[in-house]
Amino acid sequence: MNITKPAKKAIMAMTVAGMVGLGAVGAGTTYSVHQANAAAAADAGYASKQALQTLNSFYKPALKGQFPGAVSGLTVGKSTRQDVLHKIGEPENPMKDADGFDVYSANMGNPGYAIHYKLGKIREMRYFGTNVERQTNIGGITMKMLKQNWYAPSSVSTFKTGNKTQTKLTYNRGNYKLEFIFNSATELDHINLLTK
């Protein structure tokens, strides 16, 4: 069959357009898998960068006994429960006794917090991160990332909470300490801030 050059180009264009169209609806699996892998790698890189940014956001505020974000300006050992209520409102789950915590649930992309008081002042703050896109927040912080960026912790301990074993990496920051509580080397549960 003798086909002219313009006809060959038209057939090639229709073939390529058809393949692209099929790829868009999932029939071109090789093309779709490659795209999916590239997108997943890009998402993982983005999530890791965001998690590192979250980690580093705690470094300087901790020197003043503070967390970044919605609770910035509230200081462990100085701010009162009234200061907290004024800044972030009533807790979803108020403390039930003197040993309890006021718990602020993570919702709508906002992080969760738990705050414990002693003699009316903040004794400890806990940061639970976000539930939405958790990998871009504390869900993406690993022990390896923490040690690579903040170096060796001041202390490391292991303890049991219910039926799970957790590891606490403590970093001294001036008169305060940040405790990173891990369920595993790749799963950060929460961050504590308290006085030394």
Side-chain angles (χ1 to χ4, degrees):
M1 178 176 205
N2 192 4
I3 300 178
T4 63
K5 272 190 176 182
K8 282 183 183 178
K9 284 184 179 179
I11 291 170
M12 285 297 286
M14 287 189 296
T15 303
V16 169
M19 291 173 81
V20 170
L22 287 174
V25 295
T29 55
T30 304
Y31 186 68
S32 296
V33 167
H34 176 70
Q35 278 187 323
N37 288 341
D43 285 348
Y46 171 78
S48 182
K49 282 181 185 175
Q50 291 299 110
L52 179 58
Q53 186 176 357
T54 297
L55 169 63
N56 289 333
S57 73
F58 286 87
Y59 197 75
K60 285 185 180 177
L63 284 170
K64 297 187 280 183
Q66 299 176 359
F67 274 156
V71 295
S72 67
L74 297 174
T75 305
V76 172
K78 295 179 183 169
S79 298
T80 65
R81 188 166 191 264
Q82 284 306 108
D83 294 333
V84 174
L85 295 175
H86 179 73
K87 179 94 175 170
I88 59 175
E90 292 286 334
E92 285 88 353
N93 297 307
M95 60 184 175
K96 301 206 182 336
D97 56 41
D99 292 330
F101 284 80
D102 279 345
V103 177
Y104 295 84
S105 301
N107 55 42
M108 301 295 285
N110 294 312
Y113 298 94
I115 302 176
H116 176 65
Y117 303 91
K118 184 174 183 179
L119 302 174
K121 294 187 178 173
I122 298 173
R123 179 174 183 260
E124 178 181 348
M125 285 195 288
R126 292 184 179 176
Y127 178 84
F128 292 102
T130 59
N131 292 335
V132 177
E133 296 184 352
R134 189 164 175 81
Q135 285 309 109
T136 64
N137 197 264
I138 70 170
I141 299 171
T142 64
M143 283 187 193
K144 181 180 178 182
M145 177 189 284
L146 180 58
K147 290 177 182 178
Q148 281 179 339
N149 290 279
W150 287 24
Y151 306 106
S154 305
S155 67
V156 177
S157 60
T158 303
F159 58 95
K160 279 206 161 285
T161 303
N163 61 354
K164 64 180 165 182
T165 301
Q166 294 181 309
T167 304
K168 175 171 52 176
L169 278 66
T170 302
Y171 288 83
N172 291 330
R173 301 292 296 139
N175 295 323
Y176 304 92
K177 58 184 177 178
L178 272 174
E179 300 173 337
F180 293 84
I181 312 299
F182 285 90
N183 295 328
S184 71
T186 58
E187 184 187 353
L188 177 59
D189 190 75
H190 65 278
I191 302 170
N192 298 334
L193 176 63
L194 52 161
T195 56
K196 280 199 229 174

